[in-house]
Amino acid sequence: MASLAPSGPLVGGATAPGVRVPRSVRHLGPNWYASVMGTSVVGTAGAALPVAVPGLRTVCTAVWALSLAMLLTLLTARAAHWSRHRDQARAHLLDPAMAPFYGCLSMALLAVGGGTLTLGRDWIGLPAAVALDTVLYTAGTVVGLVAAVAVPYLMVVRHRIEHASPVWLLPVVAPMVSAALGPLLLPHLPEGQARQTLLLACYAMFGISLLATLVMLPLVFGRLVVTGPLPLALTPTLFLVLGPLGQSTTAANAFADSAAGVLPDPYAHGFGAFAVLYGVPVMGFALLWLALAGAMVVRARRAGMGFAMTWWAFTFPVGTCVTGAEGLARHTGLEAFRWLAVALYVLLAAAWLVAGIHTLRGLVSGALLAGPAPAAAAPASATARTR
């Protein structure tokens, strides 16, 4: 995946005429991890759909395996990037359009780890799945917490920012992914203090991410109202707002699923009520934002928006809304949430296929590994001669 900043081939997937396309990892930024996130959530969200579809779980497990292969490939390539192109890696950290994508590294590790326990266990066995998820969850959580502090710090002291951007949400939503996926490990911990500590730590990360989102979101909407629509290539990033909304709903339902037997009854029942009392209005706002962002995308498309790597923003955030709706369907028993989950999953699968096909095409051509197109030379000034 290429940069979500509006620059040359990093957005549009096309290079300037006559520009040689290099095949190196120099311009491989942390934003590539968004493709891993988007792929993984297709598998995990599909496995939890509240409908019976023959063969769906097998397909979803294959998608999880693909996301694992993508993660390992990107981790290797990014290690080479830091080893061979440290100047560019440091430039990414100092770039306000790129630095927030370090949250994607955390979420990619977490998403693949969660898929390992829900799907990968079918192929690699439960002990191996628990071990792999433990490693990925621990690493993803540490990276996410560091990013949630380090990126805002850089934004304040080093970055020079003109306008708010939806990508600011990426580092602060990472702890919410840890909060939502941590409960999967609870049954594999010793009873008592260990389980209680993890569950309440997940609840604390829920609070970290939620409050940080409440700080960031008004800035993003204020930018839209004051300065108008985003540039065409960046319009899909409006879908990133769905991430903390859907993921927090998913987390609230995961707490309700896991609290019984871990916490005393008053708190366990409280989590059950919280899942519905919090999740329903937040899901309502997510649908409102989905309609608004969708309308903005349609407008941008009519204005000439072509494919850009920002289209990966259509995947993981929508996937979190799928899992949020699935959780509400479990805890309310309402058919409306059941079919909402199915409808959102259809949208997710379609977006993933479109983004994946175009990305594969760009990788084969080499356009997505090229650097920004050089600026056109200014025309030579002509001076009229007078007699």
Side-chain angles (χ1 to χ4, degrees):
M1 179 178 167
S3 173
L4 300 192
S7 58
L10 294 184
V11 166
T15 53
V19 175
R20 184 177 67 86
V21 177
R23 294 178 181 272
S24 75
V25 297
R26 177 168 179 78
H27 299 286
L28 188 75
N31 46 350
W32 281 74
Y33 289 111
S35 61
V36 178
M37 297 158 51
T39 300
S40 181
V41 79
V42 170
T44 53
L49 277 178
V51 292
V53 179
L56 178 61
R57 184 172 179 87
T58 300
V59 172
C60 290
T61 306
V63 172
W64 162 80
L66 173 62
S67 71
L68 176 60
M70 292 170 63
L71 176 64
L72 295 176
T73 301
L74 280 176
L75 288 174
T76 302
R78 285 285 296 162
H81 172 84
W82 272 94
S83 174
R84 301 174 187 173
H85 307 287
R86 293 182 183 178
D87 61 322
Q88 187 69 13
R90 288 192 294 268
H92 285 165
L93 281 173
L94 298 178
D95 182 357
M98 182 65 74
F101 287 96
Y102 274 91
C104 291
L105 167 58
S106 166
M107 291 184 280
L109 294 168
L110 294 165
V112 175
T116 303
L117 265 187
T118 56
L119 292 166
R121 61 191 296 172
D122 294 351
W123 289 5
I124 66 175
L126 182 58
V130 171
L132 180 56
D133 184 35
T134 300
V135 172
L136 293 178
Y137 180 80
T138 302
T141 298
V142 171
V143 171
L145 291 174
V146 170
V149 175
V151 174
Y153 174 82
L154 289 173
M155 290 169 61
V156 173
V157 302
R158 297 298 299 271
H159 297 164
R160 295 298 176 260
I161 300 170
E162 295 182 1
H163 300 293
S165 169
V167 301
W168 289 5
L169 294 168
L170 289 172
V172 300
V173 76
M176 188 67 78
V177 181
S178 292
L181 296 178
L184 292 175
L185 287 168
L186 289 175
H188 309 286
L189 292 176
E191 294 184 2
Q193 288 283 321
R195 294 185 182 182
Q196 291 177 2
T197 300
L198 177 58
L199 181 58
L200 291 181
C202 289
Y203 192 38
M205 289 187 286
F206 175 94
I208 291 171
S209 182
L210 178 62
L211 295 176
T213 298
L214 293 177
V215 171
M216 296 290 190
L217 188 54
L219 300 177
V220 174
F221 185 70
R223 181 254 170 94
L224 296 176
V225 173
V226 173
T227 66
L230 296 175
L232 296 183
L234 296 181
T235 302
T237 63
L238 289 171
F239 274 68
L240 295 177
V241 175
L242 297 175
L245 302 176
Q247 197 66 272
S248 63
T249 303
T250 302
N253 283 281
F255 299 155
D257 292 336
S258 306
V262 175
L263 297 176
D265 286 341
Y267 302 110
H269 289 307
F271 272 120
F274 178 70
V276 176
L277 295 177
Y278 173 86
V280 172
V282 170
M283 183 58 64
F285 180 70
L287 294 177
L288 172 66
W289 191 271
L290 176 61
L292 174 63
M296 298 295 289
V297 167
V298 170
R299 175 190 175 278
R301 183 66 172 166
R302 289 178 176 174
M305 182 187 75
F307 172 75
M309 292 306 296
T310 51
W311 286 28
W312 280 103
F314 296 142
T315 56
F316 189 78
V318 174
T320 66
C321 293
V322 175
T323 55
E326 291 167 349
L328 290 174
R330 289 195 308 273
H331 291 110
T332 64
L334 292 180
E335 289 291 309
F337 285 117
R338 179 172 174 243
W339 290 110
L340 175 62
V342 172
L344 290 173
Y345 187 76
V346 171
L347 175 62
L348 167 64
W352 176 69
L353 286 172
V354 171
I357 290 171
H358 281 84
T359 300
L360 182 61
R361 186 180 301 167
L363 284 173
V364 171
S365 70
L368 295 181
L369 295 179
S381 60
T383 304
R385 179 177 297 179
T386 59
R387 293 183 183 274

